[in-house]
Amino acid sequence: MLNQKWLIKLAQKIWETMWQLMMFNLAPSENGNYQRPLSIYHHNIEENSTYSPEKNRYTIYAGLSCPWAHRTLIVRKLKGLEKIIDVVIVSPSPADGGWIIPQGSENCYTLKQLYYKANNNYQGRCTVPVLWDKKTKTIVNNESSEIIVLLNNCFNQFASFPQLNLYPDEYKDNIDSWNEKIYHHINNGVYRCGFAQTQQAYEDACYGLFNLLDKIEIFLENSRYLCGDKLTIADIRLFTTLIRFDVVYFSLFKCNIKRIADYKNLSRYCQEIYNIEGVKETCNFDIIKQDYYGNLFPLNPGGIIPLGLPSY
Ligand SMILES: N[C@@H](CCC(=O)N[C@@H](CS)C(=O)NCC(=O)O)C(=O)O
């Protein structure tokens, strides 16, 4: 039996080395600040172009735990595009953290194979969501913020709810300005807390995150959504991070100054969006917890999944 002192020393050294190795390879950083890699595919969908709007031509690959992919599932639902654009749900592989395509699709059983099918020299990360074109067998777009605008704008001739416009011109500047702040401090902010590699980087991210949550809480005292009474893509983008907050980011990513449940207006706001017809069925808290706690090895090596659930 190893004596306690040596056991602790050994465990500390191994954990620290593994942590640094994993973070170096999986979470690129500058001075300890996590830098999210940029998405590679940014094509548009428009009439008379390579990618024209068509029924049953495109597929969304999405993981249910992923907040970025979740945006696309919500907009697809709200616009009534379920019969127009397919969805393939992928799940994380405990072996390497990549995404698996359980039923197979396009002869691919992993998302990596799908990315390679589009480009066999692909070098970047194989992320969800992916908007895939079945006709040309390639990726149209893999950036969630752009895919949701495509879903909102480009398929109105087929959509069950074409009149729903989540990105109207008259709100564009306001929406864009919310999106920019919310992306940096909240959507990516929770990851900047969780993947920070120095105390300073963590504290900067965490204070930035809670400063903006505090401001939005005050704003929502007199406003139903971020742009008044009108639900927009800015709300969808904020919502998918907020509903993961108390169950995952609070503990796993150390975003623990407050819970969303401690904010009266943010809680009301989440509850209201959650109850919009179609939204609830895109939210799966068991899978969210299982994926984040079970597969993000560097942050939760024991894989124990905490019991708490949100109160929706
Ligand atoms: N900027 C991308 C980010 C997407 C992203 O990071 N997705 C994560 C899941 S939450 C992923 O697939 N990660 C796999 C990997 O990095 O290997 C977007 O918004 O679409």
Side-chain angles (χ1 to χ4, degrees), residues 26 34 36-39 65-69 71 97-99 111 125-129 142-145 147 183 191 292:
L26 299 180
Y34 171 58
R36 179 173 293 279
L38 295 175
S39 307
S65 50
C66 170
W68 316 98
R71 300 166 165 188
W99 294 103
L111 196 69
R125 300 204 61 92
C126 301
T127 56
V128 287
N142 71 337
E143 171 50 48
S144 63
S145 57
I147 299 175
Y183 172 76
Y191 286 88
Y292 273 98

